[in-house]
Amino acid sequence: QPKDGAEFEIDFSPPWPRIPMLDGLVKALSTHEKPVDAAWLVAPGALARPDAVDMLKKAHVEAGVELCAPPHTTSRLVDSLVGELLEDTCVNPAFITEHPAEMSPLAKYHRAKPGLTERFELFVAGKELCNAYTELNNPFVQRERFAAQSADVDAGDDEAMVKDEDFCVALEHGLPPTGGWGCGIDRLTMFLTNKNSIREVLLFPAMKPEQNAPPPPPPGDDAD
């Protein structure tokens, strides 16, 4: 049951739908109560267009979706639309797949769809439970990704990645085909125990500093 709103049931019966991110976003915008034509998003290299930021801002305005906090980079703007129009609608388990490379600097490029990556996230009740992707093991592409991320860092995006040259050098020595996934056990526990706050399920929650900490013992004093 959500903190605010009526109780709802979650059906975990398989198969769980797979929603390609940009295709799903285009469909969600076109069927929105304020329909928006965003078919340009599914064209190869769409987010690299010089006017991509302006087009994404326009989609926000036309769909009535609040803009994310600055900086308004393509990855942040897409994430804002996806969070409002796709993630929040995933009550029953659903996979959001094929993230753009701009949003997944460590994920390997899709072997059949330029500009996308081999990545998926699992959402339940609008919350992310799992994130997984094929690891990018091409050092040349990885350097290009880091360079692109540097522009977002310079723009003030604290979620963008800084260049890790040591990592790129390690990739030059070789990384076999690798994939990985991570599941948020704390979020899963929230669902299973019907808790709305993550603090209610963490065994060792972050502790606040003491307001009136006792003074340290004087030098030479035996604390025992």
Side-chain angles (χ1 to χ4, degrees), residues 88-105:
D88 286 351
T89 65
C90 296
V91 176
N92 295 330
F95 295 107
I96 295 181
T97 68
E98 299 175 3
H99 298 53
E102 288 82 355
M103 301 176 67
S104 311

Side-chain angles (χ1 to χ4, degrees), residues 20-221:
M21 179 177 282
L22 295 183
D23 288 333
L25 185 55
V26 169
K27 182 178 179 180
L29 285 168
S30 66
T31 57
H32 194 263
E33 58 183 349
K34 299 178 181 179
V36 178
D37 181 9
W40 64 275
L41 272 172
V42 296
L47 297 184
R49 288 173 46 158
D51 61 346
V53 169
D54 292 335
M55 297 284 283
L56 289 168
K57 286 182 178 180
K58 180 181 177 182
H60 276 78
V61 173
E62 293 180 350
V65 176
E66 185 178 354
L67 280 171
C68 61
H72 293 146
T73 61
T74 54
S75 57
R76 288 175 61 85
L77 290 169
V78 170
D79 187 60
S80 173
L81 289 171
V82 169
E84 180 77 18
L85 302 176
L86 289 185
E87 295 174 7
D88 286 351
T89 65
C90 296
V91 176
N92 295 330
F95 295 107
I96 295 181
T97 68
E98 299 175 3
H99 298 53
E102 288 82 355
M103 301 176 67
S104 311
L106 299 178
K108 191 161 188 172
Y109 39 86
H110 198 290
R111 62 199 73 192
K113 300 180 180 180
L116 304 181
T117 60
E118 296 181 349
R119 179 184 174 191
F120 71 80
E121 292 176 293
L122 171 63
F123 285 86
V124 183
K127 305 294 184 183
E128 178 192 331
L129 278 188
C130 177
N131 179 33
Y133 52 84
T134 305
E135 299 276 356
L136 176 58
N137 57 354
N138 185 322
F140 306 105
V141 175
Q142 187 63 79
R143 281 194 176 90
E144 292 174 355
R145 296 268 188 92
F146 280 145
Q149 289 283 296
S150 296
D152 291 348
V153 171
D154 293 341
D157 186 355
D158 56 5
E159 295 182 0
M161 299 191 68
V162 296
K163 183 178 181 181
D164 187 340
E165 181 59 24
D166 289 341
F167 180 64
C168 293
V169 171
L171 289 182
E172 290 179 344
H173 289 274
L175 173 68
T178 306
W181 70 280
C183 177
I185 299 299
D186 43 13
R187 291 187 181 273
L188 180 59
T189 304
M190 288 172 62
F191 287 117
L192 297 178
T193 58
N194 197 28
K195 302 297 183 182
N196 286 295
S197 172
I198 197 170
R199 289 189 295 271
E200 297 181 72
V201 301
L202 291 178
L203 187 58
F204 299 104
M207 302 182 67
K208 296 181 179 179
E210 294 184 31
Q211 296 295 330
N212 298 308
D221 185 20

